[in-house]
Amino acid sequence: MAVGNHSSVTEFVLLGFTELQELLFVIFLLMYITVLVGNLGMIILIRTNSQLHVPMYFFLSHLSFLDVCCSSSIVPKLLSGLLAERNVISFNGCIIQFFFFAVLGTTEAILLAVMAYDRYVAICEPLHYLVAMPHEVCVQLVVFSYAAGSVNALVHTSSLLQLTFCGPNLINHFYCEMPPLLLLSCSDTRLNELVMATCVGLIITTSVLAIVVSYACILLTIWSIHSAEGRHKAFSTCTSHLLAVALFYGSASFLYFHPFPENADQGKTASLFYTLVTPMLNPFIYSLRNKEVRSTLRRAMNKLLSCLY
């Protein structure tokens, strides 16, 4: 990715976290290991168990993949920065980190809306579920999510490369993100801010609207079920997804719709939820709230223990 000749800044300094760095390193390292083990374990569990080869778990495996990639694009640099005297990232490295993070974050936002639609079809149109959601359609929806994420990231990255960065080069964050980068530009960033607000607003609004409409229909369907046990079973398949949606969109909305200079520390906290806490919690949310995943995991653990002993 070429850098414009008009940019004199060749590297940025990520200020990150300046207190309790050794303690934060241990905490973040343990959280990152949990992200890797939990999400990769979820992917392996879904891929190797034929009972989980249904659309819901197909989407869940891609959600886990996105969580691993999203954390891996940020956390290793965060961890190395906590042990370094000066956490430096090159200009190209910063742009590349931003690009991949934008791809993964946007893709996950759209995928969560796709998963809500999948739950709508499964609960509201159960007799037509396999017809409406064959594997080919699921693949197309996932490909669309990745494609939309890539296009969004290209738009933001291209507009970012048009800016001039002539100093200072201190980013008051632990990774390269659009709001703090715009603060360092010597150029007029009003167009970039408009593009960012428009794209982020459009993606979040359409995704949340799709989720709200899907769950409104789901609630109406559940309400019409006469059996209390049937209502509980139908709603229990949605609670995990709703928790994941609340965590993801809550942190993302705070990150992009609050002024960064006045809320830099709060922005870092929201970013931690976005990049580390949510990816760490998602496997637990889906495994603890999902009977099929729990039973599959229990069988896998019993099989592993029988092989060991």
Side-chain angles (χ1 to χ4, degrees), residues 11-272:
E11 64 181 24
F12 292 105
V13 178
L14 298 170
L15 299 180
F17 300 94
T18 57
E19 298 179 355
L20 303 173
Q21 290 177 304
E22 292 81 4
L23 177 60
L24 290 177
F25 174 85
V26 174
I27 293 173
F28 293 159
L29 177 61
L30 292 175
M31 293 173 71
Y32 182 54
I33 292 173
T34 306
V35 169
L36 295 179
V37 173
N39 286 285
L40 291 176
M42 184 70 74
I43 293 171
I44 294 171
L45 197 68
I46 292 170
R47 297 293 182 180
T48 57
N49 194 297
S50 59
Q51 291 182 337
L52 301 181
H53 291 176
V54 295
M56 181 174 74
Y57 298 109
F58 174 74
F59 295 131
L60 179 55
S61 67
H62 280 277
L63 180 66
S64 294
F65 173 75
L66 288 169
D67 282 340
V68 168
C69 293
C70 185
S71 291
S72 297
S73 69
I74 303 297
V75 179
K77 183 61 179 174
L78 167 62
L79 293 174
S80 64
L82 289 171
L83 298 180
E85 292 184 7
R86 193 166 177 264
N87 188 14
V88 177
I89 185 171
S90 67
F91 188 97
N92 282 349
C94 187
I95 296 299
I96 291 170
Q97 184 188 60
F98 168 76
F99 172 78
F100 281 105
F101 182 73
V103 170
L104 297 165
T106 307
T107 303
E108 185 161 343
I110 298 171
L111 185 64
L112 287 170
V114 169
M115 293 173 73
Y117 172 73
D118 170 68
R119 291 298 81 209
Y120 157 75
V121 178
I123 294 174
C124 300
E125 303 288 342
L127 298 179
H128 301 93
Y129 181 55
L130 295 179
V131 176
M133 298 294 289
H135 184 68
E136 293 77 11
V137 171
C138 296
V139 171
Q140 290 170 4
L141 289 171
V142 169
V143 170
F144 169 77
S145 300
Y146 282 99
S150 300
V151 170
N152 179 64
L154 281 171
V155 169
H156 289 304
T157 305
S158 299
S159 65
L160 194 60
L161 287 172
Q162 302 305 311
L163 299 177
T164 301
F165 294 90
C166 50
N169 66 339
L170 303 177
I171 299 178
N172 189 16
H173 213 327
F174 57 88
Y175 68 97
C176 293
E177 179 59 296
M178 181 68 82
L181 280 173
L182 293 181
L183 294 176
L184 301 181
S185 176
C186 306
S187 307
D188 185 353
T189 62
R190 285 178 294 182
L191 179 60
N192 299 76
E193 293 170 2
L194 178 62
V195 170
M196 181 181 68
T198 302
C199 292
V200 172
L202 179 64
I203 291 166
I204 291 182
T205 301
T206 53
S207 299
V208 170
L209 182 62
I211 292 169
V212 169
V213 171
S214 296
Y215 277 103
C217 296
I218 288 171
L219 288 174
L220 289 174
T221 301
I222 292 175
W223 187 261
S224 65
I225 298 175
H226 300 293
S227 167
E229 182 181 352
R231 286 197 299 268
H232 175 74
K233 183 179 179 180
F235 192 73
S236 64
T237 64
C238 304
T239 52
S240 300
H241 181 251
L242 284 172
L243 285 172
V245 167
L247 285 171
F248 180 87
Y249 281 102
S251 56
S253 298
F254 186 92
L255 182 62
Y256 287 102
F257 293 115
H258 282 71
F260 189 83
E262 292 83 354
N263 299 280
D265 292 335
Q266 294 177 359
K268 293 177 188 178
T269 302
S271 296
L272 279 176

